[in-house]
Amino acid sequence: MQELNFSKFPFRFKNSENKISIFDCIRKKFVILQPEEWVRQHCVQFLIKEKKYPQSLINVEKVLKVNNLSKRYDIVVFNSDGTIHLIVECKAPQITINQETFDQIARYNLVLNATYLMVTNGINHYYCQMDLKNERYQFLESIPEYKK
């Protein structure tokens, strides 16, 4: 797999029927290793190991309804009160992050109302802080570390 713009993390792999899988510590199972999954797993480790978010507050690949359509978000980090702190949209490394990507995460955030957004293809990472009241956002250098 391609080297990404994240720290190096230890991963568990499994080869079954000539398909390589990676262990997802959030879903607690092996999942087929696709380029987007490689980015997602790095991002999960980044949130846990570098930003200190508790594993128990992280959710991966769940369905949400957006305009009566079923969509699947990549990563959501909850606050301890159940509100949503962060949404992460992961793309495969060869996918260019563009306005369409930001539009996608913005549509998800109309439903989820997260404070922070992160968009990454594993090479380029973009972070925003939402001002939900004024319907604006501000780009950040990074997302904040977890605070209890």
Side-chain angles (χ1 to χ4, degrees):
M1 275 285 151
Q2 181 176 346
E3 195 161 312
L4 302 178
N5 190 9
F6 282 106
S7 298
K8 297 224 181 296
F9 300 111
F11 293 108
R12 288 173 45 206
F13 299 98
K14 176 173 88 172
N15 191 339
S16 177
E17 298 172 16
N18 290 328
K19 289 191 177 139
I20 297 175
S21 296
I22 187 168
F23 188 76
D24 182 329
C25 68
I26 304 300
R27 291 179 276 184
K28 301 199 179 345
K29 67 179 185 177
F30 281 92
V31 291
I32 300 290
L33 184 56
Q34 302 284 347
E36 184 178 313
E37 192 63 48
W38 183 236
V39 173
R40 186 171 21 256
Q41 293 306 316
H42 275 80
C43 198
V44 165
Q45 293 303 310
F46 164 76
L47 293 170
I48 294 168
K49 299 222 168 48
E50 293 184 19
K51 294 299 179 178
K52 313 294 186 220
Y53 288 95
Q55 221 171 288
S56 61
L57 295 179
I58 300 173
N59 213 315
V60 173
E61 284 221 301
K62 295 283 191 223
V63 173
L64 77 146
K65 291 278 189 199
V66 179
N67 298 327
N68 291 324
L69 297 172
S70 289
K71 299 290 183 183
R72 188 178 288 272
Y73 62 71
D74 285 306
I75 303 169
V76 163
V77 178
F78 291 90
N79 293 306
S80 52
D81 67 1
T83 59
I84 296 178
H85 180 72
L86 167 71
I87 308 170
V88 182
E89 179 59 33
C90 300
K91 297 293 183 193
Q94 72 274 14
I95 303 294
T96 302
I97 294 173
N98 55 23
Q99 187 61 50
E100 194 177 305
T101 314
F102 285 100
D103 292 347
Q104 178 184 1
I105 199 168
R107 282 191 302 275
Y108 292 179
N109 205 36
L110 289 172
V111 175
L112 299 172
N113 294 317
T115 307
Y116 296 96
L117 307 178
M118 176 180 175
V119 176
T120 182
N121 63 3
I123 308 300
N124 300 301
H125 316 301
Y126 299 94
Y127 312 95
C128 301
Q129 181 171 8
M130 300 302 299
D131 177 353
L132 297 171
K133 193 171 74 175
N134 296 310
E135 297 182 352
R136 287 193 300 229
Y137 59 88
Q138 172 185 345
F139 280 95
L140 304 172
E141 290 291 312
S142 189
I143 51 171
E145 276 195 12
Y146 177 72
K147 292 181 186 74
K148 290 182 184 183

